[in-house]
Structure formats: C-alpha cells, structure tokens
Amino acid sequence: MFRVPGWLHPVDASAYAAVLLYQPAQQLSGGLAEIGVYFGRSFFLMGQALSAGEKALAADLFESGPVADGASLQLRRFRSDAERFGIPFELHIGPSERLTAHDILDAVGPVRFFSIDGGHMIEHIRNDVALATAVLAPHGIIAFDDFCSPEWPETMVGVVDFLRGANGAYVPFAITQSKLYVCRTEFHTRYMAMLSGSHWMRRYRQREITFFGSPLVWYHHPIANRIAHHAVARAVSVLPW
C-alpha cells in the first residue's frame, strides 16, 4: 500500500481486508464505493477484494497536482495505477454533492462497503451519509475516516448526529485511531465477532468498549508502531511533484 500516495494506517488496511474478504465468503455481495479517494491507496485495497460481477465507484475532485492534457496529475496517476493493479472502476469527478443515489446504484448496485473520506465539514458528512444509507445493501458497512481527529471536529459531530438520528438502526461495531465502522443493527454482533477473531487483526491490541449503548471493539495502534508507519510512508510514497 506504500506504493500509492495517501493515508491509510496498517490497522485499517487490516480491517478493510478482514471485512472485504469475509463478506463474499459469506455470500454477502455488493458494490464498493469511496468518496475521497485521493491517489487511491485505500480504494485500490478495496478493489482487490472485488468478486466476479462486482464494481467499485471512486469519487473525488481529482484536482491535485499539475494539469496536463486536461487532467490533473492525481487523476492521471489514479487511472494509471488502476490499470496497473487491474482494478475495474467507475469514476465520479467533482463534489459528492453532485452525485446521487441513482448514480451510485446505476454504477455499482447496492453497496456492501462504503468509505467516506471526502469533505470534513458537517454539511459534507450529512450529504455523504445520506448517499451511503440510500445505497447500502442490508449487510453493508460504512467506514468514516477522521472520526476522532482534532483537526476535523465537525466530522465527529456529523457522524454522531447520524447515529442519534438513526434511532438504533445503525450502530458502530469497531473503532481505530482513524476510523469508525458502522453497520445495521442486525449485523452488528456478526461483524464484531468476525473482526475480533480475524487473523488480520491479531497483531493489534483490542478491547471492548461501549458507544451509544452498544458494544464495539477498539483497536489500539501503539504510538511506536504509528511512528514507524509514518516514517516508512514518508520514505516510499513521496508525492510525485
């Protein structure tokens, strides 16, 4: 994953792998979607878990880096890496406010894993949550990035508002330093047990905590490991401009 510029902690890469490989093994099919793909580090990880007939949607402004031939460096690099990794994808270029539930369903069908990492203001979170819940398969998962980041406090407010307004229909089943993982209540116990027992997650310390009256598993990525991760990331994935 270090070959693609971006931000994705190993604990979340492991959680993505655990969930995305578990679902098709349990005949829980569906498309994949990510709002805010940047250069595609997490999106390409998601895309490698696609089963036959499944599709993935990438949505981003795609405006980072110098423009050539009418496309930013970000967009050119994304398309090139998608081809290199053999990831089939549908593309939305522009704000997610211009994306509709119909667009997503038409592109990839009901979604089994929806990553939200776009705009971090509360109006962005509200918009993206509305899109995700409108297209989510019954067994679908939403991963919220920067949930507890002090740099983006409105992200947490938007997610908490969503959970309160859901009246128990959606509950979190896992949390890491960077992300909160949410599913429908009827799949909560199943996903929590799967993740707790997954070999992908054994390297990380975990503890059961409670949030909104519901248990979830907290994965701790020790500070020494995070420092090592950032050092490696900075050394091998310098932005190409």
Side-chain angles (χ1 to χ4, degrees):
M1 71 181 201
F2 292 120
R3 296 181 181 181
V4 180
W7 300 271
L8 182 67
H9 289 286
V11 64
D12 291 300
S14 297
Y16 274 40
V19 167
L20 291 166
L21 295 177
Y22 170 81
Q23 288 175 322
Q26 298 294 312
Q27 288 76 53
L28 302 174
S29 61
L32 308 177
E34 182 167 51
I35 294 176
V37 300
Y38 196 42
F39 279 84
R41 177 176 286 186
S42 56
F43 183 81
F44 295 139
L45 172 62
M46 292 165 59
Q48 291 181 62
L50 286 168
S51 297
E54 293 180 337
K55 297 179 181 179
L57 172 71
D60 200 286
L61 298 177
F62 287 106
E63 59 185 12
S64 297
V67 174
D69 299 323
S72 68
L73 176 60
Q74 179 191 4
L75 181 55
R76 300 195 309 274
R77 173 75 179 266
F78 182 87
R79 285 174 166 158
S80 173
D81 282 344
E83 182 177 357
R84 178 163 63 101
F85 296 134
I87 306 297
F89 67 94
E90 301 289 332
L91 197 63
H92 171 79
I93 302 175
S96 58
E97 288 84 354
R98 297 179 187 170
L99 188 63
T100 69
H102 177 77
D103 293 333
I104 299 173
L105 291 171
D106 188 55
V108 302
V111 175
R112 63 178 169 100
F113 193 95
F114 202 120
S115 171
I116 295 180
D117 190 15
H120 286 53
M121 297 295 99
I122 193 164
E123 62 270 20
H124 302 138
I125 301 300
R126 287 171 177 166
N127 176 80
D128 295 349
V129 166
L131 285 173
T133 53
V135 304
L136 209 64
H139 49 273
I141 288 169
I142 307 174
F144 292 98
D145 190 60
D146 288 325
F147 174 66
C148 289
S149 171
E151 185 178 3
W152 304 109
E154 290 193 25
T155 297
M156 182 172 63
V157 175
V159 175
V160 169
D161 283 351
F162 157 62
L163 292 173
R164 283 176 174 164
N167 295 318
Y170 291 89
V171 290
F173 65 92
I175 189 170
T176 68
Q177 189 80 12
S178 301
K179 297 181 185 287
L180 183 74
Y181 297 83
V182 173
C183 66
R184 287 188 173 90
T185 302
E186 53 266 35
F187 279 85
H188 171 268
T189 301
R190 186 171 175 178
Y191 279 134
M192 186 174 168
M194 177 278 298
L195 209 56
S196 296
S198 172
H199 73 276
W200 290 97
M201 306 306 291
R202 288 175 186 166
R203 76 181 80 175
Y204 309 108
R205 285 188 291 171
Q206 60 177 275
R207 181 163 61 91
E208 186 174 306
I209 61 174
T210 301
F211 188 42
F212 278 92
S214 181
L216 71 160
V217 60
W218 168 56
Y219 288 98
H220 179 49
H221 196 193
I223 185 64
N225 289 357
R226 296 204 302 274
I227 291 172
H229 161 73
H230 283 298
V232 172
R234 288 179 66 88
V236 302
S237 61
V238 177
L239 291 178
W241 66 76

